[in-house]
Amino acid sequence: MKQSQLLAVTLRESPGDVEAASHRLLLRAGYIRQLAAGIYTYLPLGRIVLRRIEQIICEEMDRTGAQEVLLPAMQPAELWQESGRYEVYGEELIRLQDRHQRDFVLGPTHEEVITDLIRSEVGSYRQLPVTLYQIQTKYRDERRPRSGLLRGREFLMKDAYSFAADEETMQQAYMRMYEAYHHIFERCGLDFRAVEADAGTIGGEGSTHEFTAITEAGEDTIVVCTHCEYAANLEKAESASEAFVQSSGSNGTIAFTGEEIMIPHTTDIDTSTLDADSIASRSPEHFHTPGLRSIAQLTESLSITPDRIIKTVIFLADQEPVAVLIRGDEEINEIKVKNYLQADELIIADMETVQQVTGAPAGFVGPYGLRHARLTWLADDSILSLQNAISGGNQEDYHYRYVDVQRDLLHQLQHIGDFRNVREGDRCPRCREGSIHFQRGIEVGHVFQLGDKYSAAMNANYIDSSGREQPIRMGCYGIGVSRLVAAIVEQHHDEQGICWPASIAPYLVHLIPISVRDDQQMRIAMELYDRLYQARCEVLLDDRDERTGVKFKDSDLIGIPLRIVIGKGAAAGEVEYVERSSGIREQMTVEGVIRRIGQQR
Ligand code: ATP
Ligand code: MG
């Protein structure tokens, strides 16, 4: 390709309010342009990079035996009503009507459409297993589309779906995809980890992994062990302590009895420093804590550490109130709470609800004395050994002290378990030798065992060998193709611009004659251009009549892996060979450079 003909306008200045390096560089180097928030045009260079990634993905998908399809982006709302997601998908789902006022959506993902296809095409166990994939534009009206291609509202995804007769075959399909994803991301030159992810309320143990590109620019936190292979996303990461389980009642909840909330007798005691050991045998005492609503206020005013406080947080799980207790120095992991309760939705209760459910204002709610409330009580096991603890007093401006969890609270808790976020430095839950540390990353792929979630809801069944009808077992597997472009740039760039890995670079070689008016330079440039072209090597020739500085700056920005500069040495048949990412440069003959490029491929 001759650069004089390429539509690739580079920008000297960084566009305003662009944070992510990938966003800035892809705009500046002329790969993408924004049409609207989260919606981008791919210019010729951007399109080539997408194609290279698509090519790698297709090769690896085909190798697993998956077959390529192309499903419609515009999908009838009825399918989404059938699966139940028309309601629960929320505002990310783009809804529209046709001229007959029939409801449609623009597909954010394709489980519904593909399940519909399979239920009509597959009837017998003889047709299973089968895996289908596509690379296609997806639509999600993200609340905060940002960082360019990292979070778009219109973006390119590879999605695959496996269909199997039983659990075992479903897992085999999953493992094949899991391995294929490793190959794909390795070939793209990505530094990534496959991390255990949260399967929500439908998946079993180990049934879902996210593939995370490691970069400080990522919005996800992953948890890795310093000693073993353990890696998980923060939501999923287990805490190392033994879970202590205690259950009361058959379904683990206490029904609302309608009785008054009882608040034990109040004694006003001064708020002077609490002495730890001598009071172990004392029963909980109400004491005056005017205005001390938060952990920080309590620790400061009472001169205590937060690990002496029992924090009580009220949630609404599918509209039912739930209280979660945790030690004051720990954080509640809402996903763990939500999964334990098998809830579709978990939100923190607003101030009014807290008052209504507990009879106390937010900031002063505590477990002691609240046992008649219409609440499910869950506790993180971090509170288990607390003996001389402080908890909310269930009355404005009051707390309890001398609370002993085993003695005073155990009987009212439905479940004690792991409801907290892990922290850096925690012991690894898997090997118990290493310690946990955090890394930032970008989720570029996701593999998921769905089981019969969609097939049961949408009646996608097959007839087994004994003539019985069974639900088809599914898996789904996504890769954010356009997000991957940005993730690669996050990992492969410097101050001057992008440094593409050779496998996905738009061109392998950038030929730069210093002066297009110099016949000798142009003769060598054209010779190299033709010979490399013959050898099926992708070459971009900068044949623009521009200043050298401009050409080099553009070349650095665009990020082609190898640069051949044809300058003064041309008279002696010599050119300069430069590697974009390492900065290595060498004078070589034309023959030498052709040989070297051959070795790079
Ligand atoms: P996220 O948590 O980042 O919103 P997700 O869990 O919604 O991702 P999936 O539904 O698993 O994502 O989609 C499959 C893949 O599509 C993701 O792994 C990611 O790489 C990509 N992806 C998801 N949302 C976007 C988006 N808004 N823009 C670009 N890529 C996306
Ligand atoms: Mg999302």
Side-chain angles (χ1 to χ4, degrees):
M1 180 76 204
K2 299 201 171 134
Q3 205 165 339
S4 59
Q5 286 151 35
L6 181 71
L7 184 69
V9 177
T10 53
L11 313 173
R12 285 286 150 256
E13 298 298 319
S14 277
D17 52 282
V18 164
E19 278 169 32
S22 57
H23 189 189
R24 189 178 65 240
L25 292 173
L26 289 166
L27 283 170
R28 283 193 54 205
Y31 285 79
I32 58 168
R33 291 290 179 257
Q34 181 177 313
L35 179 66
I39 302 179
Y40 289 87
T41 295
Y42 298 89
L43 291 163
L45 286 174
R47 186 68 192 104
I48 300 175
V49 172
L50 280 179
R51 275 237 197 279
R52 301 241 187 276
I53 297 178
E54 289 171 13
Q55 180 67 28
I56 291 174
I57 291 177
C58 289
E59 283 171 20
E60 296 298 336
M61 285 295 109
D62 294 348
R63 268 215 306 189
T64 68
Q67 302 165 52
E68 189 173 5
V69 291
L70 185 56
L71 304 168
M74 187 159 157
Q75 312 174 358
E78 288 81 40
L79 284 181
W80 285 74
Q81 279 151 353
E82 228 184 299
S83 74
R85 286 208 291 186
Y86 197 62
E87 309 307 326
V88 299
Y89 212 92
E91 289 183 322
E92 260 184 41
L93 188 64
I94 297 184
R95 297 153 209 258
L96 64 157
Q97 285 191 331
D98 69 4
R99 65 169 76 199
H100 307 293
Q101 279 77 52
R102 281 188 290 248
D103 293 319
F104 284 84
V105 307
L106 291 182
T109 174
H110 278 72
E111 282 81 5
E112 281 76 3
V113 170
I114 201 129
T115 308
D116 177 59
L117 177 78
I118 288 295
R119 72 180 163 187
S120 59
E121 301 297 319
V122 171
S124 153
Y125 70 96
R126 290 194 189 88
Q127 294 170 279
L128 295 172
V130 63
T131 298
L132 302 174
Y133 78 95
Q134 63 169 345
I135 295 179
Q136 197 229 25
T137 303
K138 298 282 189 270
Y139 298 87
R140 293 185 186 179
D141 198 358
E142 298 274 355
R143 193 161 50 89
R144 283 183 61 216
R146 50 184 216 101
S147 308
L149 301 186
L150 286 175
R151 187 170 294 285
R153 294 195 296 168
E154 175 177 307
F155 60 96
L156 200 60
M157 194 200 284
K158 186 286 301 180
D159 44 332
Y161 306 88
S162 64
F163 302 89
D166 53 42
E167 269 321 281
E168 201 187 325
T169 338
M170 173 182 81
Q171 274 159 18
Q172 285 163 0
Y174 180 86
M175 279 321 293
R176 270 200 299 278
M177 281 291 160
Y178 180 84
E179 280 160 21
Y181 273 39
H182 278 83
H183 297 150
I184 290 167
F185 296 127
E186 277 158 18
R187 287 181 63 184
C188 289
L190 199 72
D191 174 19
F192 69 97
R193 287 293 291 261
V195 305
E196 292 177 18
D198 166 53
T201 51
I202 49 162
E205 187 64 25
S207 66
T208 169
H209 286 87
E210 284 168 7
F211 287 79
T212 304
I214 306 299
T215 161
E216 275 303 311
E219 60 179 30
D220 295 346
T221 300
I222 66 164
V223 164
V224 295
C225 174
T226 50
H227 183 71
C228 73
E229 285 298 296
Y230 183 71
N233 72 11
L234 187 59
E235 283 104 49
K236 159 87 182 186
E238 304 146 38
S239 298
S241 53
E242 303 297 339
F244 172 95
V245 180
Q246 189 215 342
S247 191
S248 81
S250 53
N251 61 359
T253 53
I254 292 179
F256 181 46
T257 58
E259 287 174 58
E260 288 274 288
I261 294 166
M262 291 196 341
I263 298 175
H265 176 67
T266 298
T267 43
D268 266 1
I269 303 173
D270 70 83
T271 60
S272 57
T273 311
L274 300 168
D275 174 10
D277 299 328
S278 61
I279 33 75
S281 58
R282 297 174 72 163
S283 27
E285 230 174 48
H286 230 193
F287 74 114
H288 200 203
T289 50
L292 306 183
R293 282 173 191 276
S294 69
I295 302 282
Q297 289 166 333
L298 278 170
T299 52
E300 198 183 312
S301 293
L302 306 179
S303 302
I304 54 166
T305 48
D307 58 3
R308 295 239 341 255
I309 300 170
I310 298 169
K311 186 158 67 176
T312 307
V313 181
I314 308 294
F315 291 95
L316 289 173
D318 298 337
Q319 273 112 55
E320 286 299 313
V322 176
V324 182
L325 307 179
I326 191 162
R327 212 170 59 200
D329 59 332
E330 300 281 359
E331 268 174 42
I332 293 178
N333 179 318
E334 292 183 22
I335 302 273
K336 290 180 182 175
V337 175
K338 187 172 162 212
N339 287 350
Y340 172 74
L341 295 167
Q342 306 237 319
D344 288 327
E345 182 191 67
L346 184 83
I347 51 171
I348 292 203
D350 56 58
M351 308 254 264
E352 252 172 52
T353 311
V354 171
Q355 177 84 44
Q356 207 184 359
V357 172
T358 68
F364 296 99
V365 174
Y368 188 69
L370 246 186
R371 72 198 67 142
H372 295 290
R374 181 175 61 103
L375 271 175
T376 298
W377 289 94
L378 305 181
D380 180 70
D381 52 23
S382 58
I383 68 162
L384 258 187
S385 58
L386 295 184
Q387 284 187 318
N388 172 24
I390 290 172
S391 69
N394 297 316
Q395 184 179 336
E396 176 113 39
D397 293 343
Y398 281 89
H399 277 80
Y400 280 109
R401 60 183 175 188
Y402 313 138
V403 177
D404 180 321
V405 172
Q406 308 270 343
R407 181 192 64 197
D408 303 321
L409 302 181
L410 221 49
H411 58 280
Q412 80 187 65
L413 304 177
Q414 271 87 59
H415 185 82
I416 302 171
D418 174 12
F419 293 117
R420 66 181 178 278
N421 280 336
V422 294
R423 293 193 295 192
E424 280 205 282
D426 282 1
R427 200 148 36 97
C428 170
R430 198 56 49 81
C431 69
R432 294 181 169 269
E433 277 181 43
S435 64
I436 287 303
H437 79 116
F438 288 0
Q439 287 183 325
R440 305 286 295 169
I442 298 167
E443 180 197 319
V444 287
H446 196 172
V447 291
F448 208 103
Q449 291 180 28
L450 291 167
D452 63 2
K453 181 179 157 81
Y454 293 92
S455 35
M458 295 180 65
N459 276 317
N461 299 323
Y462 72 98
I463 306 292
D464 71 14
S465 54
S466 54
R468 270 197 312 259
E469 201 173 59
Q470 305 266 12
I472 297 175
R473 308 261 141 193
M474 283 176 64
C476 68
Y477 317 92
I479 290 181
V481 180
S482 46
R483 179 181 285 188
L484 184 53
V485 173
I488 293 168
V489 174
E490 289 295 340
Q491 291 185 353
H492 297 269
H493 73 271
D494 60 20
E495 283 293 297
Q496 277 67 49
I498 303 172
C499 310
W500 291 112
S503 57
I504 60 151
Y507 298 95
L508 180 66
V509 177
H510 204 174
L511 284 180
I512 307 185
I514 296 286
S515 166
V516 290
R517 298 179 199 181
D518 182 316
D519 288 346
Q520 212 155 26
Q521 288 184 21
M522 280 315 282
R523 194 178 43 73
I524 293 187
M526 287 315 295
E527 182 191 342
L528 277 168
Y529 185 74
D530 290 338
R531 287 181 64 182
L532 289 169
Y533 186 80
Q534 301 284 326
R536 296 179 154 269
C537 170
E538 300 87 11
V539 186
L540 182 65
L541 169 65
D542 192 348
D543 58 342
R544 299 172 305 163
D545 190 6
E546 283 283 1
R547 282 182 291 120
T548 319
V550 171
K551 290 186 168 193
F552 285 168
K553 274 214 167 70
D554 282 350
S555 178
D556 281 342
L557 251 184
I558 293 171
I560 295 171
L562 306 177
R563 179 194 299 172
I564 312 298
V565 183
I566 303 123
K568 285 203 193 83
E574 288 220 321
V575 297
E576 189 188 32
Y577 165 94
V578 188
E579 288 179 12
R580 171 70 183 88
S581 54
S582 68
I584 288 175
R585 22 181 101 227
E586 242 178 86
Q587 287 293 126
M588 291 186 193
T589 59
V590 170
E591 293 309 321
V593 98
I594 289 201
R595 226 175 301 121
R596 178 67 76 90
I597 291 168
Q599 289 160 4
Q600 295 279 340
R601 300 177 69 207

